[in-house]
């Protein structure tokens, strides 16, 4: 439903993976473990998957357990700019308004969503996405609970400001008995954030696409 947003498709992932080639110094590549590479590559593939919205999820957005109604009533229009923002949203047509509101809901929670999904958790207040959770669990099941837990932490980190917390992002987290099975979670989180931020290039926000889509929402225009 994010038809006016910058690209979050496979091209974004491909460019982030390419960025790793020059972001990571050659001497660092030589000492990174197999598990380091697995963690950062999977984090790049999964970090924005929380923005995936199925038709079923959108159609069940009004259910209390989805968290959407509470978000609109308690969060979205809070603060000093809330009344002006609410007035702007009220000017949208019915369908556009509903899509825009759900975009805002998912955008604000997408990092938290993917962390929960990777752990197989259908958390309240994050949208009803059982089919997506089941598919992610099927894909990641061979990796083990501890690795999936930390993959979720790294994925969520791209939307947080706590990369200095080494108790959370351990610089040496083992998943087995060898160095090859040990991950520097903090470095993976830093790489994910850096590669993501640096993909602000013309291929992601081409001018012809901007003119064609013609985003009518001020937030989308600013992001483009």
């Amino acid at each position: 439903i994010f038809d006016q947003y910058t690209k979050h498709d496979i091209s974004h992932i491909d460019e982030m993976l390419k960025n790793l080639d020059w972001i990571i110094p050659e001497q660092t590549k030589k000492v990174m473990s197999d598990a380091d590479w697995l963690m950062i590559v999977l984090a790049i593939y999964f970090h924005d998957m929380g923005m995936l919205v199925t038709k079923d999820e959108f159609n069940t957005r009004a259910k209390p357990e989805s968290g959407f109604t509470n978000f609109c009533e308690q969060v979205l229009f809070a603060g000093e700019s809330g009344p002006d923002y609410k007035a702007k949203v009220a000017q949208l047509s019915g369908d556009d308004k509903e899509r825009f509101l759900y975009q805002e809901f998912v955008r604000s929670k997408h990092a938290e969503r993917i962390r929960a999904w990777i752990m197989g958790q259908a958390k309240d207040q994050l949208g009803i996405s059982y089919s997506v959770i089941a598919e992610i669990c099927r894909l990641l099941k061979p990796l083990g609970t501890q690795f999936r837990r930390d993959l979720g932490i790294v994925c969520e980190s791209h939307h947080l400001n706590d990369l200095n917390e080494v108790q959370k992002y351990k610089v040496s987290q083992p998943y087995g008995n060898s160095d090859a099975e040990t991950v520097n979670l903090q470095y993976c989180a830093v790489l994910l954030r850096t590669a993501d931020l640096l993909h602000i290039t013309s291929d992601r926000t081409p001018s012809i696409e901007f003119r064609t889509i013609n985003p009518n929402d001020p937030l989308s225009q600013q992001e483009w």
Side-chain angles (χ1 to χ4, degrees):
I1 67 171
F2 295 94
D3 57 335
Q4 296 187 2
Y5 276 57
T6 52
K7 290 182 178 179
H8 288 82
D9 58 13
I10 193 64
S11 66
H12 175 45
I13 292 170
D14 289 343
E15 290 304 316
M16 286 181 64
L17 291 172
K18 290 178 183 177
N19 283 344
L20 292 184
D21 287 339
W22 59 269
I23 291 173
I24 304 174
E26 290 300 321
Q27 63 267 32
T28 305
K29 292 178 183 178
K30 294 177 182 179
V31 298
M32 287 177 66
S33 69
D34 295 343
D36 281 326
W37 287 108
L38 180 62
M39 180 66 75
I40 183 55
V41 169
L42 287 177
I44 286 175
Y45 270 100
F46 279 91
H47 76 287
D48 276 335
M49 195 171 287
M51 296 180 74
L52 174 63
V53 179
T54 64
K55 290 182 179 179
D56 286 343
E57 177 183 348
F58 185 71
N59 290 337
T60 57
R61 65 191 181 279
K63 291 186 175 181
E65 61 268 31
S66 79
F68 172 60
T69 301
N70 181 70
F71 173 81
C72 293
E73 294 176 349
Q74 305 294 330
V75 179
L76 186 59
F77 302 121
E80 293 183 4
S81 60
D84 290 340
Y85 192 45
K86 189 172 185 177
K88 186 208 73 169
V89 173
Q91 295 175 5
L92 298 174
S93 66
D95 290 343
D96 287 344
K97 179 180 178 181
E98 286 299 304
R99 285 171 61 87
F100 175 77
L101 288 173
Y102 209 74
Q103 286 173 0
E104 291 292 270
F105 170 68
V106 172
R107 182 179 63 85
S108 69
K109 296 180 178 294
H110 79 279
E112 187 180 357
R113 278 159 61 98
I114 189 54
R115 179 180 178 180
W117 294 355
I118 287 173
M119 286 302 299
Q121 298 172 351
K123 281 192 173 182
D124 292 343
Q125 310 303 307
L126 295 180
I128 301 173
S129 306
Y130 303 126
S131 61
V132 178
I133 295 171
E135 183 62 19
I136 290 175
C137 287
R138 185 189 67 81
L139 288 169
L140 297 179
K141 184 177 180 180
L143 296 177
T145 302
Q146 189 177 30
F147 190 94
R148 296 201 309 271
R149 177 202 67 192
D150 291 339
L151 174 60
I153 288 174
V154 172
C155 286
E156 185 184 31
S157 73
H158 84 284
H159 213 239
L160 301 175
N161 293 309
D162 61 354
L163 295 180
N164 60 318
E165 296 184 12
V166 292
Q167 291 302 313
K168 180 179 181 180
Y169 307 105
K170 292 181 170 60
V171 297
S172 183
Q173 175 62 59
Y175 303 101
N177 298 322
S178 68
D179 290 340
E181 299 168 286
T182 301
V183 172
N184 183 334
L185 294 174
Q186 186 186 51
Y187 190 55
C188 289
V190 170
L191 287 175
L192 177 65
R193 176 73 61 87
T194 305
D196 195 23
L197 288 173
L198 288 175
H199 188 210
I200 305 298
T201 54
S202 60
D203 68 291
R204 190 177 185 197
T205 57
S207 58
I208 185 66
E209 225 172 280
F210 177 81
R211 291 194 298 271
T212 302
I213 294 176
N214 189 26
N216 54 34
D217 172 67
L219 288 177
S220 293
Q221 292 177 358
Q222 184 178 11
E223 287 299 310
W224 276 85

